[in-house]
Amino acid sequence: MKHQGSFDCLVVGAGFAGAVAARELASRGGHQVLVLEQRDHIGGNAYDCYDKEGLFIHQYGPHIFHTNDKRVYDYLSQFTRWRNYQHKVVGAIHGQLLPIPFNFHSLHAAFPPAQAALLEQKLMDTYGAGRKVTILELRRNPDADLKALAEYVYQNVFVYYTQKQWGTAPDEIDPSVTARVPALLSRDDRYFQDMYQGMPEAGYTKLFEAMLDHPNITVETGIDAKTRLQIQGETVLLDGVPFPGPVIYTGAVDALFDHAFGQLPYRTLDFVFETHPQTFYQTHGTVNYTVSEPYTRITEFKHLTGQVLEGKTTIVKEYSRAYTGQNAEIPYYAILNPQNLEQYEQYRALAAKTPNLHLLGRLAEYRYYNMDAIVAQALSLSDRLLKEQENKKI
């Protein structure tokens, strides 16, 4: 094991944010990088593994890779081959399974033929083929039929699901959230329309193993960084010794500063895994329960992973609730409102006083990132740090 003094870069967290940054600084910058990961495995929330029944699962809920960013796709393709997978989601709505996002297939399943044909024609005439039209746009349309369609999507696809996900009443939901709920004016049943989509052929954990497999990277799992890392004024201490190199922190920023301004609010998830004695449990990888059931969705992993196994399958039900900060809980979704963002800004300003400390990722930046977006963000931060490194040599 390398001595603490052997390292000139510290990364806290071995999810996408930390792993990409560690690899870039090690391979392109020649840094000796120490990665500290609190969990007993790498991969963050994208970690996948076999359960006791031999089913390949995503331990922290489904993760489907999709992006329009060619740099991100090419970058990750260095560490994995891809299984072609186009994610399709349906909503269990009054006894029917309707494609989500709501599209022309959903429209014709939900309404009588003549009414559906009329609505489709009005949507095409007004907005054009292939558009994603939001509820807000439909509600603003003077046509009564399109306003009624907006109300249908709002009530049957959005309201109850959002109440479960965010624990809030409909009238408390930020209008900007409602505004983003789309209807897709096509018969494309895919959940994502990005250019690049798929699943790592051997899984996300193998991708992370390949990314972190570099002679300049040392990964220590099962380590609470707070036991090793301290911020004293403008100085980072690692094991009690000043650490002058780049420190990339991807953990919860409020925990880093001992909740000096209070605990940041999040939603957490409870996952209930079930193995059933049948080859498949449902028709799609994910079924959203938008008008019934206390859980938000059920995911069946064999659809996602392509695993062939007869006679049994593992599913997971997701329940959303408020994050309390208990040890076993994981903060998944930042609750973005002016009050919470103001609270976060206090932490961000405090972190900014330490020149070599860089906040990166969902928890450190208190925002939501898709996987591709956080890879792009990690690449961008790495680019900046490496450019600064080069400038110092000039």
Side-chain angles (χ1 to χ4, degrees):
M1 181 180 292
K2 293 180 181 177
H3 184 267
Q4 180 266 333
S6 304
F7 302 105
D8 59 5
C9 179
L10 174 64
V11 174
V12 177
F16 269 115
V20 169
R23 178 69 185 219
E24 287 293 274
L25 294 172
S27 60
R28 290 171 55 201
H31 285 280
Q32 294 291 325
V33 183
L34 173 62
V35 180
L36 300 179
E37 169 55 54
Q38 185 172 17
R39 294 171 177 166
D40 62 1
H41 60 75
I42 60 175
N45 291 340
Y47 173 73
D48 48 22
C49 60
Y50 288 93
D51 68 11
K52 63 182 180 181
E53 296 290 337
L55 276 300
F56 196 56
I57 64 169
H58 295 183
Q59 188 67 52
Y60 304 98
H63 285 71
I64 295 92
F65 178 75
H66 59 99
T67 190
N68 286 316
D69 189 327
K70 189 175 187 301
R71 184 188 183 191
V72 168
Y73 175 75
D74 289 344
Y75 182 79
L76 294 180
S77 296
Q78 298 175 87
F79 310 111
T80 185
R81 298 179 63 178
W82 298 98
R83 172 178 176 258
N84 181 26
Y85 175 72
Q86 308 287 312
H87 193 48
K88 295 184 179 182
V89 175
V90 291
I93 302 173
H94 306 302
Q96 290 182 293
L97 296 179
L98 303 186
I100 293 177
F102 195 89
N103 61 27
F104 286 154
H105 284 304
S106 318
L107 182 69
H108 283 270
F111 294 94
Q115 186 180 3
L118 174 66
L119 287 168
E120 179 177 344
Q121 190 61 53
K122 286 189 174 186
L123 288 166
M124 293 286 281
D125 291 345
T126 306
Y127 301 104
R131 277 280 313 280
K132 280 187 176 180
V133 182
T134 66
I135 283 179
L136 184 61
E137 288 179 275
L138 289 175
R139 280 180 159 171
R140 287 175 173 171
N141 193 294
D143 186 278
D145 290 329
L146 296 184
K147 285 180 180 289
L149 176 60
E151 187 63 20
Y152 176 88
V153 176
Y154 179 76
Q155 292 294 339
N156 292 283
V157 176
F158 177 74
V159 170
Y160 182 53
Y161 189 88
T162 302
Q163 283 181 262
K164 290 187 289 185
Q165 185 73 10
W166 295 101
T168 185
D171 59 356
E172 295 173 348
I173 297 168
D174 189 322
S176 67
V177 176
T178 309
R180 292 194 297 269
V181 179
L184 180 60
L185 306 192
S186 79
R187 285 175 167 75
D188 186 346
D189 279 344
R190 297 176 303 163
Y191 194 69
F192 309 111
Q193 281 73 46
D194 301 74
M195 182 177 297
Y196 306 103
Q197 301 186 40
M199 302 290 289
E201 192 173 71
Y204 286 101
T205 302
K206 291 295 184 183
L207 183 159
F208 280 95
E209 288 175 355
M211 192 185 301
L212 292 167
D213 183 14
H214 190 280
N216 291 357
I217 298 176
T218 299
V219 180
E220 297 182 18
T221 58
I223 301 293
D224 181 355
K226 283 286 292 175
T227 65
R228 307 270 304 271
L229 179 70
Q230 289 179 296
I231 310 294
Q232 286 190 356
E234 298 182 359
T235 304
V236 176
L237 301 181
L238 177 63
D239 299 331
V241 178
F243 190 88
V247 176
I248 298 173
Y249 183 83
T250 72
V253 67
D254 52 353
L256 176 63
F257 293 106
D258 299 316
H259 301 99
F261 306 112
Q263 180 176 287
L264 287 167
Y266 287 90
R267 296 291 287 177
T268 189
L269 298 171
D270 293 324
F271 297 107
V272 177
F273 291 86
E274 299 174 0
T275 299
H276 293 268
Q278 56 201 83
T279 300
F280 282 101
Y281 182 86
Q282 58 193 28
T283 57
H284 292 71
T286 298
V287 178
N288 287 0
Y289 287 83
T290 61
V291 293
S292 65
E293 311 304 335
Y295 40 84
T296 54
R297 61 183 179 177
I298 296 178
T299 295
E300 183 173 15
F301 297 104
K302 285 166 67 175
H303 291 282
L304 279 60
T305 65
Q307 183 180 16
V308 177
L309 190 61
E310 296 295 320
K312 58 182 174 180
T313 188
T314 294
I315 66 168
V316 66
K317 297 175 179 176
E318 290 184 38
Y319 297 81
S320 178
R321 61 179 173 83
Y323 173 73
T324 68
Q326 298 298 310
N327 286 339
E329 291 181 350
I330 297 171
Y332 284 101
Y333 300 110
I335 301 173
L336 302 180
N337 60 39
Q339 179 182 345
N340 296 347
L341 291 173
E342 183 178 345
Q343 183 183 2
Y344 168 72
E345 180 59 27
Q346 292 179 287
Y347 285 112
R348 191 207 60 77
L350 189 57
K353 294 179 179 178
T354 306
N356 62 326
L357 175 64
H358 307 278
L359 303 179
L360 177 66
R362 287 190 186 192
L363 301 180
E365 297 182 67
Y366 199 66
R367 59 175 297 182
Y368 181 84
Y369 281 110
N370 284 328
M371 286 186 289
D372 66 323
I374 193 53
V375 172
Q377 188 78 346
L379 290 172
S380 178
L381 174 60
S382 301
D383 289 343
R384 179 165 63 83
L385 293 176
L386 293 172
K387 185 175 182 179
E388 290 173 0
Q389 178 179 318
E390 283 300 312
N391 290 340
K392 288 177 181 178
K393 293 178 180 179
I394 296 174

